[in-house]
């Protein structure tokens, strides 16, 4: 810890001491129990907790033990477990190829350097040759009268888009329409058969070299056809922006011109490209079994105990992958042993200091988050308690206590009463609540809360935040560049135990207040997401 951070920490402790009588500010956590859980879950022996792996099963056995110690009741389909079946999809690269054809010549693409086949969305082996059409950000957002597909012939075409959204589209709305399911609905009805997604250089967390390094890691989807969202999507390709100029050869535009506009979130043109894409994708499938964990703390109010507040986190991570500096185990300490540890720690604390909560609480540790929010999608689609009885989801994913907690970023802050309450509780601990300052990162739909939102359940996710332009911003930027989804997200990295403990205090108080409130949380009437609660 630097001297400056120490000074900040001391300053932030002063109000607690002065206002020690205020019930919200006495800390219930010390950071050590949290860290002990993280150390267990992120140990090399758990091999990065990949969905369906022995390592994740060990992590689950440990979590069940913690839930039992905390006196929780099993609330899965099989004890604490809710079994989930997956289809694993893998591209056989030696038998596959991608090429661009145009101006009478064929240019073979390098999977490592140019573009690779996304196994998540390419579910069957396929050979095709299709014309390409550039569609800007590829968004159709009726609420904002945006239709980037309008006037373009997409029938039998593969569309090319750059990730991101125009600046005048509110974050939540933009995030929602960038989910694969929503995106595909519009593209499918326009007749498209495939997608080429160019990463937006202005919003890349992870450098291309590291993304491409793990491209052959198998992907998964839920085996249950109820959850299949991309019917008719034949090929999905992820494109390196550094190689994207080739896609625009012979058109009236260049990629550098597009990227410059996209950087400032300006509107983009749409037009047919002069090259077509030749695909030979060899896909291999197999079944994988895993499970969510569900534990219940029964409420004490005779009526409200039949309602549930969910505290969720994903226990899975990405497992063993390509070596970085000789290390192949992607330990996932912050992503998301850290969040799982909060769930276990809060459960234990509520046993040590019972609060007689009115509503029941579900402690939920999901699988398959790294495969595309799949475990939570399954739980929210097939909950082990009636869906209507779930009043809220408080989700924790990679909350990053790597600097002192002075600012709390609340995803969903402006969307519901739960967001408002999260901000109030945060403030009661002397921490400043803020909405997502980096909408381009799409965080609102990038973790498990989105599975609940989609089923109409008010949700929030909170992360340690920073002021734009502050030194802390660089700490986070570096963390994302060097540790996010890398073997170095392990227990040898610096963390701030006080920051983690304060975070736990805030989560605990939000959970208690939500469980005890007279009324269940509601979406704000003008929130885009209110629609799911009404369907
Ligand atoms: Zn992750």
């Amino acid at each position: 810890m630097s001297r400056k951070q120490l000074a900040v920490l001391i300053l932030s402790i002063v109000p607690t001491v002065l206002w020690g009588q205020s019930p919200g500010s006495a800390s219930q956590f010390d950071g050590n129990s949290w860290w002990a859980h993280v150390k267990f879950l992120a140990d090399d022996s758990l091999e990065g907790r990949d969905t369906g792996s022995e390592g994740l099963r060990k992590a689950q056995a440990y979590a069940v033990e913690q839930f039992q110690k905390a006196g929780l009741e099993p609330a899965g389909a099989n004890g604490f477990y809710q079994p989930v079946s997956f289809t694993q999809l893998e591209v056989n690269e030696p038998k596959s190829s991608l090429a661009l054809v145009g101006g009478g010549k064929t240019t073979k693409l390098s999977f490592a350097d140019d573009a690779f086949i996304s196994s998540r969305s390419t579910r069957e082996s396929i050979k095709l040759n299709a014309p390409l059409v550039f569609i800007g950000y590829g968004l159709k957002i009726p609420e904002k009268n945006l239709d980037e597909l309008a006037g373009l012939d997409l029938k039998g075409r593969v569309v090319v888009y750059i990730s991101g959204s125009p600046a005048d589209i509110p974050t939540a709305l933009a995030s929602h329409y960038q989910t694969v399911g929503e995106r595909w609905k519009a593209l499918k009805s326009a007749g498209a058969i495939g997608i080429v997604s160019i990463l937006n250089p202005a919003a890349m967390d992870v450098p291309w070299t590291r993304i491409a390094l793990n491209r052959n890691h198998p992907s998964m989807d839920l085996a249950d056809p109820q959850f299949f969202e991309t019917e008719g999507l034949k090929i999905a390709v992820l494109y390196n922006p550094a190689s994207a100029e080739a896609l625009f050869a012979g058109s009236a535009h260049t990629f550098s011109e597009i990227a410059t506009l996209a950087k400032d979130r300006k509107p983009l043109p749409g037009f047919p490209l002069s090259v077509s894409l030749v695909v030979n994708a060899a896909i291999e499938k197999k079944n994988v079994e895993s499970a969510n964990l569900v534990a219940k703390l029964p409420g004490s109010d005779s009526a409200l105990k039949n309602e549930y507040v969910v505290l969720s986190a994903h226990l899975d991570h990405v497992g063993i992958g390509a070596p970085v500096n000789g290390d192949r185990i992607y330990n996932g300490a912050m992503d998301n042993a850290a969040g799982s540890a909060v769930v276990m720690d809060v459960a234990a604390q509520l046993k040590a200091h019972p609060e007689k909560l009115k509503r029941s609480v579900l402690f939920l540790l999901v699988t398959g988050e790294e495969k595309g929010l799949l475990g939570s999608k399954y739980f929210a689609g097939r909950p082990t308690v009636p869906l209507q009885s779930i009043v809220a989801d408080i989700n924790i994913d990679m909350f990053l206590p790597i600097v002192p907690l002075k600012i709390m970023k609340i995803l969903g802050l402006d969307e519901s009463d739960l967001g408002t309450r999260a901000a109030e509780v945060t403030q009661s601990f002397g921490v400043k609540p803020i909405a997502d300052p980096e909408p381009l990162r799409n965080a609102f739909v990038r973790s498990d809360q989105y599975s609940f939102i989609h089923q109409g359940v008010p949700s929030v996710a909170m992360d340690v935040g920073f002021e734009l332009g502050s030194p802390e911003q660089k700490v986070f930027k570096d963390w994302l560049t060097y540790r996010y989804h890398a073997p170095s997200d392990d227990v040898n990295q610096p963390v701030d135990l006080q920051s983690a403990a304060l975070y736990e205090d805030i989560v605990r108080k939000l959970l208690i207040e939500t469980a005890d409130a007279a009324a269940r949380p509601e979406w704000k009437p003008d929130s885009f997401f209110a629609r799911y609660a009404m369907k």
Side-chain angles (χ1 to χ4, degrees):
M1 186 183 288
S2 74
R3 205 181 292 172
K4 181 157 178 243
Q5 283 173 330
L6 187 65
V8 168
L9 193 67
I10 290 165
L11 285 177
S12 68
I13 285 168
V14 172
T16 314
V17 175
L18 292 179
W19 308 331
Q21 294 81 353
S22 129
S25 47
S27 185
Q28 305 289 335
F29 300 93
D30 59 8
N32 294 320
S33 51
W34 171 79
W35 187 236
H37 292 316
V38 174
K39 283 213 286 218
F40 183 91
L41 297 171
D43 191 84
D44 277 356
S45 64
L46 271 65
E47 300 185 322
R49 308 185 307 282
D50 197 9
T51 297
S53 72
E54 187 54 35
L56 181 58
R57 280 190 286 276
K58 279 188 200 165
Q60 289 176 329
Y62 175 82
V64 165
E65 202 181 299
Q66 303 308 314
F67 285 161
Q68 282 167 332
K69 273 193 213 161
L72 302 181
E73 295 178 3
N78 173 17
F80 288 95
Y81 291 82
Q82 180 190 38
V84 186
S85 301
F86 296 89
T87 305
Q88 178 175 299
L89 301 154
E90 198 167 2
V91 178
N92 183 336
E93 280 198 352
K95 291 187 181 165
S96 303
S97 61
L98 290 175
L100 296 181
V101 178
K105 62 171 193 190
T106 300
T107 314
K108 196 169 183 251
L109 300 178
S110 147
F111 291 131
D113 301 329
D114 301 324
F116 61 84
I117 297 163
S118 157
S119 53
R120 171 82 209 283
S121 302
T122 311
R123 304 186 32 137
E124 306 289 341
S125 296
I126 181 122
K127 288 182 186 183
L128 60 81
N129 179 344
L132 296 172
V133 182
F134 182 68
I135 56 170
Y137 303 103
L139 296 173
K140 183 172 177 180
I141 305 183
E143 290 84 351
K144 286 282 166 186
N145 292 317
L146 175 70
D147 185 359
E148 297 187 273
L149 317 184
L152 294 169
D153 178 11
L154 304 184
K155 241 189 167 47
R157 310 288 207 264
V158 170
V159 298
V160 178
Y161 64 84
I162 184 165
S163 53
S165 60
D168 61 332
I169 309 293
T171 314
L173 203 58
S175 300
H176 169 75
Y177 280 105
Q178 287 178 80
T179 57
V180 68
E182 287 305 317
R183 202 187 265 289
W184 184 244
K185 265 185 220 165
L187 291 171
K188 185 188 174 199
S189 58
I193 58 166
I195 55 183
V196 172
S197 164
I198 309 172
L199 294 167
N200 188 334
M204 279 174 77
D205 289 340
V206 177
W208 173 266
T209 45
R210 221 146 60 58
I211 295 173
L213 201 58
N214 279 299
R215 68 185 185 276
N216 286 324
H217 208 79
S219 60
M220 290 188 194
D221 207 350
L222 291 169
D224 187 331
Q226 177 195 322
F227 297 99
F228 186 32
E229 290 182 305
T230 54
E231 187 80 59
L233 175 56
K234 293 193 162 74
I235 176 73
V237 169
L238 204 63
Y239 220 100
N240 182 359
S243 299
E245 212 59 79
L247 288 165
F248 294 82
S251 79
H253 300 268
T254 63
F255 179 66
S256 82
E257 162 201 336
I258 300 292
T260 304
L261 293 169
K263 181 173 189 283
D264 297 329
R265 306 184 68 196
K266 297 230 172 82
L268 296 177
F271 47 90
L273 296 167
S274 302
V275 293
S276 29
L277 182 71
V278 179
V279 175
N280 178 7
I283 306 295
E284 286 167 5
K285 287 191 189 188
K286 90 178 200 214
N287 283 345
V288 170
E289 298 298 329
S290 188
N292 294 321
L293 297 182
V294 200
K296 171 171 136 175
L297 176 65
S300 58
D301 182 276
S302 58
L304 292 179
K305 72 176 182 195
N306 296 316
E307 294 186 348
Y308 298 87
V309 182
V310 175
L311 180 63
S312 58
H314 73 89
L315 189 57
D316 67 296
H317 191 57
V318 299
I320 293 175
V324 177
N325 299 326
D327 188 358
R328 304 187 42 162
I329 300 176
Y330 288 57
N331 304 79
M334 293 301 108
D335 183 13
N336 185 35
S340 303
V342 172
V343 171
M344 296 176 207
D345 230 12
V346 169
Q349 199 282 336
L350 287 172
K351 159 110 175 166
H353 302 276
E355 290 282 339
K356 279 201 112 206
L357 303 179
K358 290 185 178 146
R359 289 188 179 80
S360 299
V361 174
L362 286 187
F363 295 86
L364 174 66
L365 293 177
V366 297
T367 184
E369 190 275 347
E370 301 289 4
K371 311 297 177 190
L373 319 184
L374 298 180
S376 61
K377 189 175 175 183
Y378 188 84
F379 180 83
R382 295 267 174 87
T384 55
V385 299
L387 179 64
Q388 282 308 316
S389 69
I390 301 177
V391 306
D393 173 47
I394 301 165
N395 186 53
I396 308 168
D397 186 5
M398 215 174 90
F399 69 100
L400 289 182
I402 54 176
V403 301
L405 176 51
K406 295 180 287 177
I407 294 176
M408 185 80 99
K409 184 175 76 182
I410 302 174
L411 303 176
L413 190 153
D414 298 319
E415 308 297 336
S416 70
D417 309 344
L418 183 67
T420 310
R421 182 180 295 131
E424 285 164 4
V425 168
T426 297
Q427 226 148 16
S428 77
F429 284 90
V431 174
K432 178 181 169 189
I434 59 164
D436 188 358
E438 295 179 294
L440 275 178
R441 289 195 62 238
N442 233 353
F444 195 56
V445 302
R446 277 170 66 169
S447 188
D448 295 307
Q449 68 274 1
Y450 197 65
S451 298
F452 288 90
I453 292 167
H454 223 257
Q455 298 291 348
V457 178
S459 307
V460 290
M462 301 187 288
D463 302 315
V464 176
F466 52 85
E467 212 80 73
L468 288 176
S470 68
E472 286 79 15
Q473 182 173 12
K474 182 162 162 32
V475 175
F476 281 91
K477 173 85 185 143
D478 285 350
W479 193 93
L480 288 171
T481 306
Y482 300 111
R483 295 193 195 269
Y484 175 62
H485 281 207
S488 56
D489 178 15
D490 62 13
V491 294
N492 299 316
Q493 67 188 299
V495 292
D496 185 323
L497 296 186
Q498 276 96 344
S499 182
L502 179 53
Y503 180 90
E504 291 188 304
D505 277 315
I506 293 170
V507 167
R508 173 184 164 277
K509 191 173 175 198
L510 176 59
L511 186 68
I512 291 171
E513 288 197 2
T514 308
D516 283 346
R520 59 195 283 169
E522 300 286 349
W523 293 98
K524 300 265 171 71
D526 60 348
S527 167
F528 170 78
F529 301 100
R531 67 181 58 197
Y532 298 117
M534 291 185 274
K535 72 173 182 203

